[in-house]
Amino acid sequence: MPIVTNAINATKTKKEIDAVSDRMKKTKLKISDIIIPILVVVVLVILGVFVFVPMIKKAISFQAEHATIVQKEKQLSELEKTLNAMDEGILQSDLINAQKVIPNTLKVSSFMYYIDNLASEKGLSSSEISAGDIKINTKGETSEGNYILGVSGPLAYEGSLNNALDFLNSLYSASPYIITIENLDLEAFNSVWKISLSVTGYYVPVSASSADVYSTFTPYSKFTDIVKIFETKASQLD
Amino acid sequence: MNNEPEVKNIQKKVVEQKSPVKVEQPITPPPMPKNEAPKPGYENIMAEKGVNLIPTLSKEEVVVAEKKKKLNVGSIVSLLILVIVSILIVGFNIVSRMALNNEKAKLSTYETQVTKMTQKMIASNEITERIQLYNRVLSETYSPKSVVDYINSIALKSGTSTVSTFSLGQDLLFTIEGRSTDMENVSKFWYLLSNDPKMDTVTLQSVGNNGNYIRFIFKGKLILKEFLSSTNN
């Protein structure tokens, strides 16, 4: 009898254990229960990487472009104010004066005629005249387009020291053109002085007919003193 | 022989017992001990007083249902977040693009307005170019007459020295030739040139006695900024 009782108890215990393990299994979630949340997370990640991040980057670039455009508007507004402040009539008059003093072209013949005429007025006789077009590199710049254009040539005259000095003074201070003097030699032969020098006159050719509204603009009115000099020199040429 | 009547009596009793009289008695359910818990796995079926035909959820099922509920709520919240984030990002994108397009239109109008004034700009730039050339060219230009007069004044101060040849080069490098009556005047001239505030350097290149006079050649450099003039008259 005890053997039978033990067997029955064992069977009973086994059944209870099975039932308990069944209960534990039933509390766990199955794959079918969590598949939708996993899918949602996957979709979120894919959308984030391939859609949201590029959209955010694009929106940020729009913002940057917007800031640039606002800056350009500000620049244009200031340019408009500056240009409106310039009187058209005065501007044209100043331009004509500047073009007379530093013309768009400087003919060698015109320039040499002026120099020779001046020398004759000062009582000097010419012994050598020659000239030609030159292109001078601006200092420190070697790229194409950064040149100063001019007419230059060696000259030689003879006369008294006073006349020679007067001639030099007129070239320097009273010339209507922008002139530089180089390699000056003054030599006395008895009472006659021989003066030899190299003179250069400058011109600015016609520039492009369009202007970049976004480039840095400096109104010429900032240099009123030189504009007045141009006005004085231009009146000498008339 | 004696067994036969007992057997017959027994058989009679048995026969008599086989057809009992039906007595109506109420059917009572088997008694359930009150303190005894239902067996595991059968709690939702076995109720306290009978069999539950619409079973309630077992504890395990309740736990599972709770977990599923939490998961589903999580999924819904995730979806909501996804939708809100999408709306925000797309909205931000659209608003930025619209603002940019508006500004571009404004800029275009501005550019058209300013472009009409470019002739003024071109004229001003032409004048400015000439002004810059003027400054560049004349920034290192000196009056040759003022240099010659200056050297002559020093020669006059020195005594009998006279200058008969002037050579002026770039950066006011000079060579002067002249004559004097004696060496004393030459040295005095040299002294005055060396100590002049506008003189940078000066050397006596050569000196020679020609019988009646002393010839000299000086080479040197004047300080350029002392002879520059920023504007011409």
Side-chain angles (χ1 to χ4, degrees):
Chain A
M1 285 305 285
I3 296 169
V4 171
T5 311
N6 284 341
I8 290 167
N9 284 341
T11 311
K12 196 177 170 184
T13 308
K14 191 184 169 199
K15 279 185 183 173
E16 281 179 1
I17 289 169
D18 287 341
V20 166
S21 71
D22 280 342
R23 283 169 69 187
M24 282 174 66
K25 280 180 191 171
K26 280 178 187 174
T27 60
K28 287 184 185 168
L29 290 173
K30 298 170 195 164
I31 298 285
S32 58
D33 297 327
I34 58 172
I35 192 147
I36 289 176
I38 289 173
L39 279 175
V40 167
V41 169
V42 167
V43 164
L44 192 62
V45 167
I46 290 170
L47 274 177
V49 168
F50 293 106
V51 174
F52 294 154
V53 167
M55 281 180 95
I56 290 170
K57 278 186 185 171
K58 197 83 182 168
I60 290 170
S61 75
F62 287 158
Q63 298 265 320
E65 207 180 325
H66 182 270
T68 311
I69 288 176
V70 166
Q71 185 62 32
K72 279 186 178 177
E73 278 174 22
K74 195 177 165 190
Q75 192 179 349
L76 287 180
S77 168
E78 281 170 13
L79 176 63
E80 194 185 13
K81 269 188 212 161
T82 309
L83 291 175
N84 279 333
M86 287 187 193
D87 183 84
E88 184 75 38
I90 296 172
L91 171 66
Q92 289 302 323
S93 166
D94 289 339
L95 177 63
I96 289 167
N97 289 336
Q99 284 175 340
K100 273 185 189 171
V101 174
I102 305 179
N104 291 334
T105 57
L106 182 59
K107 285 185 183 171
V108 174
S109 54
S110 308
F111 184 60
M112 287 296 116
Y113 174 75
Y114 165 76
I115 301 286
D116 204 49
N117 208 33
L118 181 66
S120 297
E121 278 176 15
K122 299 297 175 186
L124 298 174
S125 56
S126 65
S127 60
E128 181 190 341
I129 297 177
S130 71
D133 288 311
I134 59 162
K135 199 190 251 189
I136 305 164
N137 248 352
T138 51
K139 272 185 190 172
E141 295 171 19
T142 54
S143 59
E144 283 295 321
N146 291 318
Y147 293 103
I148 298 175
L149 300 172
V151 171
S152 182
L155 308 170
Y157 295 98
E158 287 174 357
S160 67
L161 179 63
N162 280 340
N163 288 349
L165 292 177
D166 268 346
F167 169 68
L168 287 173
N169 197 40
S170 297
L171 273 182
Y172 174 72
S173 61
S175 166
Y177 297 111
I178 304 300
I179 289 176
T180 54
I181 300 167
E182 287 161 4
N183 303 324
L184 173 68
D185 281 323
L186 269 169
E187 200 171 343
F189 292 100
N190 298 324
S191 58
V192 175
W193 285 75
K194 189 177 177 184
I195 175 171
S196 60
L197 68 163
S198 181
V199 293
T200 307
Y202 298 91
Y203 65 93
V204 174
V206 177
S207 55
S209 60
S210 63
D212 181 10
V213 293
Y214 295 111
S215 60
T216 312
F217 175 68
T218 309
Y220 80 96
S221 48
K222 282 193 174 181
F223 308 100
T224 46
D225 50 347
I226 299 177
V227 171
K228 280 192 181 139
I229 292 169
F230 283 172
E231 198 180 332
T232 311
K233 284 184 178 288
S235 64
Q236 289 171 2
L237 281 168
D238 290 336
Chain B
M1 294 282 291
N2 291 330
N3 291 332
E4 284 183 5
E6 289 180 359
V7 171
K8 279 182 185 176
N9 288 333
I10 293 166
Q11 281 179 351
K12 202 180 178 178
K13 281 182 187 174
V14 168
V15 167
E16 283 177 356
Q17 283 177 355
K18 274 187 182 176
S19 55
V21 174
K22 285 188 182 176
V23 176
E24 287 186 5
Q25 288 178 358
I27 299 168
T28 55
M32 283 286 296
K34 283 186 186 174
N35 291 330
E36 192 181 322
K39 290 179 185 174
Y42 296 99
E43 302 89 345
N44 57 335
I45 296 173
M46 302 301 290
E48 283 186 3
K49 291 184 181 175
V51 176
N52 191 357
L53 294 177
I54 302 173
T56 55
L57 293 174
S58 65
K59 281 186 186 170
E60 294 82 14
E61 284 174 347
V62 166
V63 167
V64 169
E66 280 294 320
K67 281 189 183 175
K68 280 188 186 177
K69 185 179 158 187
K70 278 184 191 168
L71 209 54
N72 288 334
V73 166
S75 303
I76 289 167
V77 168
S78 306
L79 277 169
L80 265 175
I81 290 170
L82 174 68
V83 166
I84 290 168
V85 165
S86 304
I87 290 169
L88 282 173
I89 290 173
V90 169
F92 178 57
N93 203 307
I94 290 170
V95 164
S96 300
R97 193 188 286 265
M98 279 172 64
L100 178 64
N101 288 341
N102 279 343
E103 284 305 319
K104 277 186 176 174
K106 260 171 80 176
L107 181 67
S108 176
T109 313
Y110 245 130
E111 278 176 353
T112 312
Q113 228 172 311
V114 172
T115 306
K116 291 176 189 169
M117 303 166 77
T118 48
Q119 281 306 314
K120 266 190 179 178
M121 212 172 145
I122 291 166
S124 175
N125 283 344
E126 257 197 75
I127 299 172
T128 309
E129 201 176 343
R130 282 163 170 80
I131 289 169
Q132 283 169 352
L133 173 62
Y134 179 88
N135 281 332
R136 194 182 289 165
V137 162
L138 293 184
S139 62
E140 293 188 352
T141 303
Y142 55 89
S143 165
K145 182 175 184 292
S146 63
V147 173
V148 169
D149 285 343
Y150 187 75
I151 292 173
N152 275 337
S153 67
I154 297 174
L156 198 68
K157 242 190 258 179
S158 70
T160 57
S161 300
T162 54
V163 180
S164 59
T165 304
F166 297 86
S167 289
L168 299 177
Q170 269 187 336
D171 296 333
L172 271 180
L173 288 162
F174 69 87
T175 304
I176 51 174
E177 288 182 36
R179 57 173 74 178
S180 191
T181 52
D182 50 39
M183 286 298 285
E184 195 184 328
N185 279 294
V186 172
S187 58
K188 200 175 167 188
F189 186 32
W190 189 10
Y191 172 79
L192 288 173
L193 284 173
S194 302
N195 290 290
D196 192 270
K198 293 186 184 179
M199 196 66 66
D200 191 5
T201 55
V202 63
T203 52
L204 177 64
Q205 194 182 8
S206 70
V207 62
N209 195 336
N210 242 18
N212 293 332
Y213 53 85
I214 311 293
R215 285 182 67 86
F216 58 80
I217 299 175
F218 286 102
K219 274 195 171 176
K221 188 172 182 284
L222 287 156
I223 298 170
L224 183 61
K225 66 176 181 184
E226 298 289 342
F227 295 93
L228 286 176
S229 174
S230 57
T231 58
N232 289 342
N233 292 321

